[in-house]
Amino acid sequence: MKPGTLSTFLKRGAIWGFIVLELIFFTVAGEFLSLSEKAFMDVDNMLLLFKQSAPIGIIAMGMTIVMVNGNIDLSVGAIYALCAIVLLDSMSWPVFAGLGDWVIPVSWLLALAAGTALGALNGLIVWKTGVDAFIVTLGSMLGYRGLVFMYNGEQPTSELNWTLVDFAEAQFLGLHTATWFLLAVTVAIWFLMNKTVHGRNAYAIGDNREAAVNAGIRVGPHMMINFMIIGFLAALSAVVFYSESGSVNPNDGELYELWVITAVVLGGTKLTGGAGSIISTFGGVLAIQLLRKGLAHIGADTSTVNLVIGLILIAVLFLDRQLNVKGKEELKV
């Protein structure tokens, strides 16, 4: 196998090999330890895994675009929580009292508009100030989280609409509503990144921003659109999850940015930009959720889960660096 072919396989195919190894390991370990009477690869268990992957997975698709662009967004967890509050609280606003169940699409639109606006603000600041997106979104993460606490203090925001709950809990062809949203977003973002000028420009900007400018690409507006997309998807993730949950706490969504970034990097997207795959990100999301579920299956606690995933992330970053060292034609470990 040629070095270039090996490198491509390791970047794009390794995540699926990792998923297979996870399935084998946790199936064998679960039976050996006899900690659970239910098989790890049970069909219901796997369908539930897809559903549980949706909140992180939907946001991860947007994060892939932003990271391919050479940026990052640390505010997605705060946007997620803030949009959840807009969704649930707006259902009880007096101005909508006469709408009945028609308040549902209105509240959805308000939440999605809020997420898009917050993402646009991030993108506008990055564009107009030239400040690194890491710094901008770190500040907005704190600011947006502050708005969450200012809105309702330490108290949860709750509004349970049973029509909405029935929709969120529904299944079609065996898949939950949340899973269908994840699949739809994955297909839409894959099409955007692979079949449109916007997607090609994203890779060009991430690979060499100066060359992209010289080629006539409007880098600033392009990046702002991508921040709007991830803001919209963070809001959509909140809409999907809290339509069923009906209650949001001020701390909800904390560390989501880290889980999302881990899934995207595990899927092979470069932190420096210019390379990434939506399908591999989907695999990264499944791998993270499978790891969390598998470790719980064999009796590991939350701290162990975080430790294992942290070590895996470090290993992936090391391999990514090795695969991208200039002048190297083969992997050196």
Side-chain angles (χ1 to χ4, degrees), residues 126 144 231 234 240 245 305:
V126 172
Y144 296 161
V240 170
S245 170
V305 173

Side-chain angles (χ1 to χ4, degrees), residues 7 68 85 88 94 135 161 179 190 196 204 222 231 239 281-282 297-298 301 305 312 315:
S7 176
V68 164
I85 290 176
L88 298 181
I135 302 299
N161 183 301
T179 303
W190 177 89
T196 70
H222 174 91
V239 165
T281 291
F282 184 79
H297 180 72
I298 61 175
D301 56 19
V305 173
I312 288 174

Side-chain angles (χ1 to χ4, degrees), residues 133-175:
F134 180 92
I135 302 299
V136 171
T137 58
L138 177 62
S140 61
M141 174 184 73
L142 299 174
Y144 296 161
R145 183 64 66 177
L147 291 176
V148 171
F149 279 93
M150 287 173 62
Y151 194 89
N152 212 17
E154 300 284 343
Q155 302 301 315
T157 300
S158 302
E159 184 63 34
L160 196 60
N161 183 301
W162 288 107
T163 301
L164 195 54
V165 171
D166 289 341
F167 170 76
E169 292 183 343
Q171 295 186 45
F172 179 68
L173 299 178
L175 300 178

Side-chain angles (χ1 to χ4, degrees), residues 95-127:
V95 68
F96 300 142
L99 292 179
D101 282 342
W102 284 104
V103 73
I104 294 173
V106 172
S107 296
W108 276 24
L109 288 173
L110 288 173
L112 294 172
T116 305
L118 294 173
L121 180 59
N122 285 342
L124 185 63
I125 294 173
V126 172
W127 172 18

Side-chain angles (χ1 to χ4, degrees), residues 9 16 18 33 38 60 97 101 107 109 118 129 155 163 166 185 225 237 240 245 259 267 280 289 301 331 333:
F9 170 77
W16 304 105
F18 180 61
L33 296 174
K38 192 172 184 180
D101 282 342
S107 296
L109 288 173
L118 294 173
T129 66
Q155 302 301 315
T163 301
D166 289 341
V185 168
I225 290 172
S237 177
V240 170
S245 170
W259 288 107
S280 293
Q289 190 60 38
D301 56 19
L331 178 63
V333 178

Side-chain angles (χ1 to χ4, degrees), residues 206-223:
D207 187 54
N208 191 324
R209 188 169 298 184
E210 184 177 346
V213 172
N214 293 334
I217 299 174
R218 300 184 65 201
V219 173
H222 174 91
M223 292 193 302

Side-chain angles (χ1 to χ4, degrees), residues 58-63 65-66 73 75-84 108-123 137 144 189 223-239:
I58 291 171
I59 304 174
M61 298 305 155
M63 187 68 79
I65 304 177
V66 171
D73 190 343
S75 68
V76 289
I79 293 176
Y80 173 87
L82 191 54
C83 292
W108 276 24
L109 288 173
L110 288 173
L112 294 172
T116 305
L118 294 173
L121 180 59
N122 285 342
T137 58
Y144 296 161
I189 300 301
M223 292 193 302
M224 182 174 173
I225 290 172
N226 289 337
F227 276 104
M228 291 172 69
I229 291 173
I230 194 173
F232 173 86
L233 292 178
L236 180 62
S237 177
V239 165

